[in-house]
């Protein structure tokens, strides 16, 4: 899924007290580092396991169903529950509880069954909705406290704090997926090429690629239980380190009244923006296309193209390449936006993604394996491009209602993810690919209209 900076910057320079305390500044930096490392560790485990769900628990589509239940829970709670928890308990202990929920989800994968895994998925959705809301609110709170205790006010301190956070957080795909690849195939580092060797399994190979459909039985061989136990144990250990780092090292900051009023006001303005803004409505198909692409990669592509053809151990390595490409491109894109308008970059990205889907429609086991590896690089870069450009466009066009715009973005994305995972339960792979191409065409048209509407007012968009 994509990450956004959903908090206003207006409060950062408000300074009623002229008492500067260097200890508070050091405390803010310490809490930012602890918070960022905890998120890095927790999402290394959560994302590493989520990327394997469609293959690891593929029997009766249990893994995909668990992701669907998680999306339902996330959508139902992401706008309201975090606000209630913030008012009742502040920042620290809701974060600790939500990290414990993630640990419970990992435990449910040791011996997954419908009741245990789906119940844990409900709590995972609650945890993710709260963690992403707190991510923006807590970092903004720390930035405000840091500026309030600085003699020279820095209007860009929020951007710098988010930058520190994301530099660490972006490593989660690398760590989590490398762990899964090494556990499921210990020879990964010794022989990279053999990690993408066709698996000799006639029953599986016959349905690899676009032809696989949801069914009661799995065609993806599940790894040995010993390997699954080792993998889940490592992920659980990482998750618990994140949990205890928050318990012992994160200070118990209380939200300011401005934080509470801002979150409460955002919920009301979010729905108003969705119902009244033509520009926001034009962006909805683009958000839907982005959600479909992400779910296709994590579910259908991971299961039907990688695990089915090359083995489940190859999924982690493929996503490692994806994550490294995404991180590198996040640096490059900052320079590209100086020369290419954001809407133009988004258009180019959507065309390339649609072209990748068209290629996969014609893919077969005889296709060159390095093209699949190259797709990890391309799609990883485009994931960064989509997330960066969409968030930047929203920040430019809706700068007067920034919190509401980002909250609307997060809420709509959760609905689209819910829809996308639901489609994975009922559609064959090729049917979902045609759905992506159709929505991609609609998105391109909507983006062109959006560009014509805002182009004169916002030349950098």
């Amino acid at each position: 899924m994509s990450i956004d900076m959903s908090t206003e910057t207006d409060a950062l320079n408000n300074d009623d007290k002229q008492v500067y305390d260097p200890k508070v500044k050091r405390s803010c930096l310490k809490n930012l580092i602890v918070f960022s490392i905890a998120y890095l560790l927790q999402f290394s485990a959560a994302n590493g396991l989520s990327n394997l769900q469609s293959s690891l628990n593929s029997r009766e589509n249990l893994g995909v169903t668990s992701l669907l239940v998680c999306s339902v829970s996330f959508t139902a709670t992401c706008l309201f529950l975090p606000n209630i928890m913030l008012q009742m308990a502040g920042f620290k202990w809701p974060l600790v509880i939500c990290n414990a929920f993630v640990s419970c989800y990992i435990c449910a994968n040791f011996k997954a069954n419908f009741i245990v895994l789906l119940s844990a998925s409900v709590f995972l959705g609650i945890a993710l909705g709260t963690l992403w809301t707190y991510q923006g609110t807590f970092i903004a709170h720390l930035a405000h406290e840091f500026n309030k205790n600085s003699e020279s006010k820095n209007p860009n301190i929020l951007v710098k704090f988010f930058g520190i956070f994301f530099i660490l957080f972006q490593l989660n795909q690398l760590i989590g997926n490398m762990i899964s690849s090494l556990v499921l195939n210990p020879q990964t580092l010794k022989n990279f090429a053999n990690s993408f060797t066709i698996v000799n399994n006639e029953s599986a190979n016959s349905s690899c690629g676009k032809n696989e459909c949801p069914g009661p039985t799995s065609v993806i061989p599940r790894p040995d239980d010993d390997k699954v136990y080792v993998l889940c144990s490592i992920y659980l250990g990482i998750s618990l380190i994140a949990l205890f780092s928050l318990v012992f090292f994160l200070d118990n900051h209380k939200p300011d009244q401005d934080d509470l009023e801002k979150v409460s006001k955002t919920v009301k303005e979010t729905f108003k923006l969705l119902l009244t803004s033509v520009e926001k409505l034009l962006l909805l198909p683009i958000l839907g296309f982005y959600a479909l692409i992400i779910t296709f990669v994590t579910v259908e592509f991971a299961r039907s193209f990688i695990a089915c053809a090359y083995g489940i151990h190859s999924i982690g390595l493929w996503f490692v390449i994806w994550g490294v490409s995404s991180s590198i491109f996040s640096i490059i894109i900052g320079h590209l936006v100086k020369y290419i308008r954001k809407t133009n970059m988004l258009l180019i990205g959507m065309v390339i993604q649609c072209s990748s889907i068209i290629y996969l429609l014609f893919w077969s086991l005889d296709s060159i394996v390095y093209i699949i590896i190259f797709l990890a690089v391309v799609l990883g870069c485009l994931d960064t491009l989509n997330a960066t450009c969409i968030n930047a466009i929203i920040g430019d066009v809706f700068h007067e209602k920034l919190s509401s715009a980002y909250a609307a973005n997060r809420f709509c994305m959760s609905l689209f993810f819910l829809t996308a995972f639901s489609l994975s339960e009922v559609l064959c792979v090729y049917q979902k690919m045609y759905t992506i191409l159709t929505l991609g065409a609609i998105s391109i048209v909507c983006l062109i209209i959006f560009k014509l509407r805002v182009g004169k007012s916002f030349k950098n968009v």
Side-chain angles (χ1 to χ4, degrees), residues 225-251:
D225 284 345
D226 290 344
K227 289 186 176 180
V228 175
Y229 294 155
V230 170
L231 180 63
C232 290
S233 296
I234 294 173
Y235 282 152
L236 180 60
I238 293 174
S239 176
L240 291 176
I241 291 173
L243 172 64
F244 287 116
S245 68
L246 292 174
V247 171
F248 293 111
F249 299 110
L250 191 73
D251 295 333

Side-chain angles (χ1 to χ4, degrees), residues 368-393:
I368 301 173
V369 64
Y370 290 106
I371 296 181
I372 290 292
I373 298 173
F374 179 68
L375 280 178
V377 177
V378 173
L379 295 177
C381 293
L382 293 180
D383 179 57
T384 293
L385 185 147
N386 285 336
T388 302
C389 288
I390 289 172
N391 281 309
I393 289 171

